[in-house]
Amino acid sequence: MTIISTIRNFLASKVMSRVLNDWSDQSILLKKREKFELIRKKEGRQHQVFYFHELSDPYSHITAQLISKLNKNYDIDLIPLLVGDPPKATVHEPNLYRKYCLSDALRIAPFYQVEFPSSTLPEDNLILLGQRVLSSLDKDNFINSVAEISNFVWSGNQEALEALVDDKTLSKQGMLSVISSNEEKRDKVEAYMGSTFSYEGELYWGADRLDYLEERLIDLGLKNNLNKNLISEKKQTIATNIPQESNLELEFYPSLNSPYTYISFPRVKSLAQKYSLKIVTKPVLPMLMRGMSIPRYKVKYILSDAAREGRKYGTNIKDVYSPLGEPAEMAYSLFPKIDELGKGFDYIQSLTKASFHDGINIGDKTFLKDLVNQLDLSWENVSTELNSDIWRTILKDNLEDMYSGNCWGVPSFKLTDEDGKNSFYQWGQDRLWLIENEVIRRLN
């Protein structure tokens, strides 16, 4: 590598780090909120909350049961917009995507006190019929009817849907025109998935993030009643009479370029300690090093969302330095040896902290040496694996195992019984509560 290319890469990393830091910085977020609020007042607009509903999306079916409550509990102008499938560039592993989303929605629906009428995806003709009906409704009727119409679609009740069709119902062409217009609005606010709320510069995807929107509306004094409960609160299992020891195993699939992975470590460790779980750390390559691409607006949402999730749980994203490419490869090359010595979990945690909190290039040999020493390991022993290729096969096997559970993103998890059977796969740091519920169920 020439001096010029080295300088160019360094400057590119600095520029990218600045952009990433802007997306995750809370102080910048709060200033933007003030700016948007001033603009809203100047333009004389109500507190407009846009909601993008996708009939074929299982998460939208859950949210459909909540938007009427949101509208009643807050002094807002809720604007529902029917949209179609998300942009193809935002959906990775499409064959796994719908399958995973449905199984995940089926699992979380009961905690939101929402009934899911089917364990299979709805038929295209029912989706089309439901879209025609919904796109014909005005705002208020959409809000009041979407839960019922969604239920008809997902339960396969064609007769009930046909009964809603009248002379005011749009044709297929008219419906497609409405959806196209709504998707332009979705693109403008940089949303990309169904079940997403947009309010003055920020996005809130699904029931999982509705609490952030509610808290923001409460801060603005928009709650219509004195009830302190959020409509998005989950009812979870309470742990009672939990054994002091268990033989359950939690396999953990992290990656070095994932902010969600970074913020998950303290809670993964806490969960393991609370229920005496054995953690097996199985790192995988970042998606961008697996030949996938992510649009800039999706990267922006991921980082800003991970940052607010991190603040919620006390693990702040601060200075970001992406480890993609050679830095990640160097760091991964040491993992098999370090894991063999019992420090694999701590090693990956330290690497993600360096990338998403300390702004450190983890491909720096001096940094790696210091980190190994901090883990009370011998650099002379561990460094024999530096830049070796053993790790590539290990990470490939980890990825195949993760994919076998219909998970392709990180962090993912697999809970098993002591014999390694009865696998329970989950994707995402925001599903640790669901893993805990499963642990409680098995231990009880």
Side-chain angles (χ1 to χ4, degrees):
M1 183 179 291
T2 66
I3 294 177
I4 293 177
S5 61
T6 300
I7 294 174
R8 185 183 296 117
N9 290 340
F10 174 76
L11 292 175
S13 297
K14 284 294 183 181
V15 171
M16 177 54 67
S17 294
R18 177 61 184 272
V19 172
L20 298 176
N21 289 329
D22 285 350
W23 290 343
S24 61
D25 191 312
Q26 186 179 25
S27 63
I28 293 177
L29 171 71
L30 295 176
K31 288 178 182 178
K32 286 182 177 178
R33 283 188 179 180
E34 292 179 1
K35 177 183 177 182
F36 275 104
E37 183 63 12
L38 288 173
I39 293 173
R40 183 195 66 79
K41 289 180 178 179
K42 184 177 180 180
E43 295 178 351
R45 288 185 288 105
Q46 290 180 272
H47 295 275
Q48 295 176 325
V49 176
F50 294 92
Y51 168 64
F52 301 98
H53 189 82
E54 180 191 339
L55 262 181
S56 59
D57 168 39
Y59 297 119
S60 289
H61 178 70
I62 293 176
T63 318
Q65 323 298 313
L66 302 175
I67 65 169
S68 179
K69 295 178 183 178
L70 181 72
N71 194 47
K72 290 176 181 177
N73 278 268
Y74 296 91
D75 185 17
I76 57 176
D77 180 18
L78 181 59
I79 303 174
L81 299 170
L82 184 67
V83 295
D85 294 340
K88 291 183 179 180
T90 65
V91 179
H92 302 100
E93 305 296 351
N95 292 332
L96 295 178
Y97 174 75
R98 287 294 185 194
K99 184 177 180 181
Y100 176 83
C101 289
L102 179 56
S103 64
D104 184 50
L106 287 168
R107 283 173 174 171
I108 68 173
F111 296 95
Y112 288 103
Q113 302 177 73
V114 170
E115 292 187 5
F116 222 100
S118 176
S119 59
T120 58
L121 293 168
E123 296 178 4
D124 290 343
N125 65 308
L126 296 181
I127 295 172
L128 178 61
L129 192 53
Q131 288 175 328
R132 286 181 58 206
V133 173
L134 270 178
S135 62
S136 306
L137 301 178
D138 61 25
K139 179 178 65 175
D140 291 336
N141 283 322
F142 188 114
I143 293 170
N144 294 328
S145 304
V146 64
E148 180 182 51
I149 293 172
S150 181
N151 194 66
F152 290 157
V153 170
W154 282 88
S155 63
N157 194 337
Q158 183 171 343
E159 183 178 351
L161 286 169
E162 290 177 340
L164 296 174
V165 176
D166 57 28
D167 56 357
K168 295 181 181 179
T169 302
L170 293 177
S171 65
K172 178 180 177 180
Q173 194 60 41
M175 173 269 293
L176 291 175
S177 178
V178 169
I179 287 181
S180 177
S181 176
N182 292 344
E183 288 177 348
E184 288 180 7
K185 295 174 184 175
R186 180 190 65 186
D187 296 344
K188 185 176 180 180
V189 298
E190 298 187 330
Y192 52 94
M193 307 300 289
S195 187
T196 298
F197 295 87
S198 171
Y199 177 67
E200 299 297 344
E202 293 175 49
L203 301 176
Y204 309 87
W205 182 14
D208 291 309
R209 299 296 186 269
L210 189 51
D211 58 334
Y212 290 116
L213 173 59
E214 288 194 77
E215 289 165 357
R216 186 176 176 188
L217 297 177
I218 289 172
D219 288 343
L220 290 168
L222 300 177
K223 192 84 157 62
N224 281 332
N225 53 58
L226 299 177
N227 188 341
K228 295 183 179 180
N229 294 331
L230 302 180
I231 65 169
S232 53
E233 285 185 2
K234 299 184 294 288
K235 287 194 173 183
Q236 294 178 235
T237 305
I238 299 175
T240 57
N241 302 319
I242 298 299
Q244 293 297 311
E245 296 183 8
S246 79
N247 293 311
L248 300 180
E249 185 171 285
L250 182 64
E251 296 186 7
F252 175 40
Y253 303 87
S255 107
L256 294 181
N257 193 49
S258 164
Y260 289 125
T261 292
Y262 162 59
I263 65 171
S264 72
F265 273 98
R267 281 175 293 142
V268 173
K269 183 180 291 186
S270 176
L271 184 67
Q273 292 173 342
K274 184 176 181 180
Y275 299 104
S276 301
L277 308 177
K278 177 186 176 184
I279 299 180
V280 178
T281 307
K282 292 187 169 184
V284 299
L285 271 180
M287 293 173 67
L288 293 175
M289 294 176 67
R290 286 187 256 145
M292 299 181 184
S293 60
I294 304 177
R296 180 185 174 91
Y297 56 87
K298 184 173 181 178
V299 175
K300 180 181 178 181
Y301 177 79
I302 287 173
L303 190 57
S304 60
D305 180 58
R308 67 184 173 191
E309 283 282 277
R311 290 191 292 270
K312 179 178 182 178
Y313 295 107
T315 305
N316 291 333
I317 292 176
K318 190 179 178 183
D319 294 325
V320 182
Y321 193 112
S322 175
L324 284 174
E326 187 177 338
E329 293 182 346
M330 286 182 64
Y332 278 130
S333 70
L334 298 179
F335 174 78
K337 186 66 174 181
I338 292 175
D339 191 50
E340 180 185 310
L341 297 170
K343 296 295 182 70
F345 181 92
D346 296 332
Y347 176 62
I348 300 295
Q349 180 177 19
S350 297
L351 291 172
T352 58
K353 179 177 180 294
S355 295
F356 291 99
H357 185 273
D358 301 330
I360 294 174
N361 176 10
I362 63 171
D364 181 80
K365 188 174 179 180
T366 300
F367 163 77
L368 290 172
K369 180 178 180 180
D370 290 342
L371 174 54
V372 169
N373 291 333
Q374 289 169 17
L375 295 173
D376 293 325
L377 300 176
S378 166
W379 174 250
E380 287 71 22
N381 181 22
V382 171
S383 62
T384 57
E385 301 300 321
L386 189 64
N387 293 321
S388 65
D389 287 330
I390 298 174
W391 64 274
R392 296 184 187 277
T393 300
I394 293 174
L395 266 65
K396 182 175 180 293
D397 291 343
N398 292 345
L399 184 64
E400 291 177 357
D401 187 16
M402 189 176 83
Y403 268 56
S404 69
N406 291 318
C407 299
W408 67 94
V410 293
S412 285
F413 307 90
K414 180 173 74 171
L415 181 71
T416 65
D417 293 336
E418 60 182 311
D419 57 3
K421 297 181 180 180
N422 198 14
S423 299
F424 180 82
Y425 283 90
Q426 278 300 135
W427 168 30
Q429 57 83 33
D430 50 4
R431 289 292 177 266
L432 284 170
W433 65 269
L434 194 57
I435 293 173
E436 181 172 12
N437 274 274
E438 179 65 13
V439 169
I440 293 170
R441 188 190 70 80
R442 294 190 185 194
L443 295 181
N444 281 339

